[in-house]
Amino acid sequence: MTSIFSSLPIAHEDDAFGLIRLAKADTHPSKTSLNAGVYRDEEGNPWVLPVVKEVKNILHADPTVNHEYLPIRGNARFLTGARKLVLGAAEALNPAVVSIQTVAGTGANHMAAILLVHALQPKSVWFSNPTWLNHASIWEKADKNINQKWYPYYNPADRRFDFRGMVKTLEEESQPGDVVVLHACAHNPTGLDPTRDQWKAIADLCIRLKLFPLFDSAYQGFASGDLERDSWAIKHFLGEDGLELGIAQSFSKNFGLYAERVGALHIRTTSADVASNVGILLQQVSRSEFSTPPAYGATIVATVLNDDALFAKWQLDLKTMSSRIAQMRQGLYDELIRLKTPGKWDHILTQIGMFSYIGVTAAQAILLKEQYHIYLLTTGRVALTGLTWENVGYVASSIDAVVRQTATEAIPS
Amino acid sequence: MDSTQYPPSVFNAATYIAPDAIFKVTKDYLADTDPRKVNVGAGTYRDENGKPWILPSVRMAKEVVANAGHEYSPILGLKLFRDRTVELAFQGMKALKEDRIASCQSLSGTGALLLAGLALKKAESGITEVLITEPTWSNHELLFSSMGYNVTKLPYYKAGAFDFRSYIDALKSAPSGAAVILHTCAHNPTGCDPSQEQWKEIAAVMKKKTMFPVFDSAYLGFNSGVVYDDAWAIRYFVDELGFEASVCLSFAKSMGLYGERVGVVTFVASSSELAQTMVSILENVQRATVSTPPIYGANIAATVLGTPEIAKQWAQDLITMSSRVKGMRQKLFDALVRLQTPGDWSHIVKQTGMFGYTGISSAQIVYLQDKYHVYMANTSRISIAGLNDSNVEYFAKALDDAVRSVK
């Protein structure tokens, strides 16, 4: 009997999740996972933020808490707090900015793509080369006919942000109405961010070339420990009157609420009327996919963002996470220098956030996995959250070993 | 740059779309300060005091999961939750024993239907037509048309009952190979379900026309009080007739977990290999929409289903909710009989589940809201769960007045 499913292509397992599965199955005592983009404490364990624990206890004890449907737009207190956080207090009051709760950052990116494809009909969407693995799939799902284009971003020769390359390509090849996806801070996967002057130039470019900037903001507070610093670029763009833009905001990392899928999408338009209509369009997208967003995680975030004491505790938790990662960067760098590992490694210190394009090749990454049970993406992306004082020496010496080993081998054709 | 120099908005061309009517009903109800107000609009269970009800079994489960973490679930969701849900919905079925069921955690029932629709496209199933009942849940049409399916409505309801003749005739004339959205039980919004004999005839037509059933199963257990009984139609199609199908499951109503978005999409395939392949397809479509689903509610549901004494409590909770609703149907009917309200109101006790179509006119609905602060859907659908001993007489009198005063 033929099945309606018979003609399917076999879907391929997502690389990052596939690697997680492999790493989990590996029982070698030195096994080290440096692939998944989740925070780990100094013991290498998942970390529920103390402020989150506190709020969960409050909610658990509160007899008025229930599981009623949220409005399609989401939890109103959550959205108020989310707006203030990423837009700044003044712009948060601007009725020309419309906001909706989404299923984390993925959902926000997905919803932005659907909205922009419908409203802008852009010829192309531009991603940094490289970018978060899922950006391309999300846009492909929103419109399989849209051109996906890549602006230069990572220069492997000097391991730096290729600002000139980015500007040149957009100047020469972009068209008015194109969407350009920007990482607000802590670029995933490279860890390289533009300087403030470079951000100013990028903003000018977007205005001049009539591009629609879509910020992916997944690390506010998590990157530097400073909420203002990590949203500087967004706020600079918002300061450009009349520039319409979008912000896909995730609370997965900065609240450690990964699995609760907490996010928001903000669209800055030119007037309250336009914003209102966009809001209805966004609500229709939500309604046609999942009706209303999940309540629990947003309630936790709303509680923190709207309470001064809890907010202050959250900032301490952000400092805990960001400074541990900064220490691990320093620790890894110091070890590689001590071992006199061939190559330059100072980019480890100048990059920011949980990820680093550490500078190993795909072949070296495979060797690290097969010989040293160290798991990182074959792109060379390392999740520094996987480093601890206990394993950083082993990781450094393993990198040292594979770098030296591949230096003496012929490059496979 | 001052305001007059702003370039026109890129969003100017987007067309205004009126929001989903039922959400406005809730909004208006919440804004109303009249103490007599009655909400029989939105489909959420209310207890005998008209309040949201946290199921005792859910309370028990929340104690157990109180200190759970928040690490990303797999893309397919919590395996324990998926497996226990599949065991619940497909208990005793060959498809389960033969490992022919693909499952994926979804954002409640809406998300399950979405994943089913996206997966059927990704699987190159060839299905382009989707048949829904008229009337049906207000979101079916938007959901499937947004995905690019051609949606056709089949007449379903007439004079307080399931219009079987019209439905089956329309089904016979519909395109072969279409996906058919079936309400497993407690049809929303009419409360009118096919009898078992009628289900058999529907299945026979669908078999002949190689139609693909999509079972929208939002009320398993909530309807009769027993999940197994409410799943009869699934068993008949899948187990007895060997249909391939999608069964879309939600715990919004049956566990009161509405806002936490707890659901599972399943596909029953003709072989275990095909089921596995569908799992990979589901994983793919989930990744590009939400990446991974929210775990809080799924963790609670998995704990309820998998902990014997909590599962036992849940069985009791289902009986509590379903029998309170059935009791209210009877009380409303009795009140209307006592008031000698013109018309035949027996459909109120013949219909089943959370909802019922009263059959009153738009003018009567407006009258009820304006004069009596009674909020209901503009289709004449009421949520019986919104009635209780404190308001059922008031509601009956209001309905009586509306029927007598307004045409």
Side-chain angles (χ1 to χ4, degrees), chain A residues 112-126 139 143 145-148 175-180 210-212, chain B residues 10:
Chain A
I114 294 185
L115 170 77
L116 294 173
V117 161
H118 172 78
L120 293 185
Q121 284 138 42
K123 296 277 184 315
S124 308
V125 56
W126 290 87
W139 277 84
D143 179 3
N145 296 319
I146 197 174
N147 293 320
Q148 293 194 355
Q175 290 172 284
D178 282 357
V179 174
V180 58
K210 298 189 173 28
L211 305 176
F212 188 97
Chain B
V10 299

Side-chain angles (χ1 to χ4, degrees), chain A residues 32 79 116 163 228 246 272 342 362 393:
Chain A
T32 310
L79 289 172
L116 294 173
F163 172 67
E228 285 310 312

Side-chain angles (χ1 to χ4, degrees), chain A residues 138 178 205 238 389 392 403:
Chain A
I138 287 172
D178 282 357
L205 190 86
L238 288 168
W389 290 122
V392 68
V403 165

Side-chain angles (χ1 to χ4, degrees), chain A residues 1-14 16-17 21 37-40 46-48 52-53 56-57 60 63 65-72 103-104 106-107 110 115-116 118-120 132-134 137-138 140-141 207 210 212 241-244 250 252-253 256-261 267-270 274 277-278 280-281 283-284 286-297 300, chain B residues 1 6-20 22-23 43-46 52-54 58-59 62-63 66-75 107-108 110-111 114 118-120 122-125 127 137-139 142-143 146 207 212 242 244-245 252-253 256-261 267-270 274 277-278 280-281 283-285 287-297 300:
Chain A
M1 179 173 73
T2 45
S3 166
I4 59 143
F5 306 116
S6 295
S7 57
L8 345 124
I10 307 276
H12 287 290
E13 182 165 52
D14 184 288
F17 282 87
R21 212 181 291 208
V38 286
Y39 180 76
R40 289 284 176 267
W47 193 59
V48 178
V52 168
K53 250 191 223 162
K56 282 166 70 173
N57 289 336
H60 193 73
V65 162
N66 58 42
H67 304 292
E68 293 294 287
Y69 290 119
L70 286 178
I72 302 179
V103 183
T106 302
H110 167 74
L115 170 77
L116 294 173
H118 172 78
L120 293 185
W132 178 45
L133 280 174
N134 210 13
S137 325
I138 287 172
E140 203 230 322
K141 188 134 255 95
I207 293 167
K210 298 189 173 28
F212 188 97
D241 282 345
L243 173 61
E244 294 183 296
S250 168
S252 292
K253 284 84 175 175
L257 285 173
Y258 310 97
E260 306 307 343
R261 322 308 291 127
I267 304 287
R268 208 267 289 268
T269 70
T270 53
V274 172
N277 195 33
V278 169
I280 290 168
L281 287 176
Q283 286 183 59
Q284 193 184 43
S286 289
R287 179 61 164 158
S288 72
E289 296 196 349
F290 51 84
S291 277
T292 63
Y296 184 60
I300 294 172
Chain B
M1 205 176 173
Y6 291 175
S9 170
V10 299
F11 301 106
N12 274 341
T15 45
Y16 177 82
I17 296 134
D20 194 319
I22 195 61
F23 285 87
T44 44
Y45 179 78
R46 291 289 176 263
W53 191 54
I54 311 286
V58 168
R59 265 193 218 287
K62 284 166 73 171
E63 287 299 324
N67 293 314
H70 307 286
E71 291 297 290
Y72 287 120
S73 77
I75 300 175
L107 270 85
S108 209
T110 309
L114 177 81
L118 291 176
L120 286 171
K122 188 85 187 179
E124 295 173 45
S125 66
I127 296 176
W137 176 47
S138 57
N139 203 13
L142 177 68
L143 199 92
S146 298
K207 205 39 130 126
F212 185 80
E244 288 185 314
K253 286 83 175 171
L257 289 173
Y258 309 96
E260 307 304 346
R261 321 311 289 126
F267 280 108
V268 183
S270 59
L274 284 171
T277 313
M278 282 316 286
S280 74
I281 296 274
E283 190 171 49
N284 176 274
V285 296
R287 175 63 163 154
T289 49
V290 300
S291 260
T292 62
I295 63 161
Y296 177 65
I300 292 171

Side-chain angles (χ1 to χ4, degrees), chain B residues 202-214:
Chain B
I202 292 167
V205 171
M206 286 179 61
K207 205 39 130 126
K208 198 147 172 232
K209 297 181 71 92
T210 53
M211 288 170 163
F212 185 80
V214 177

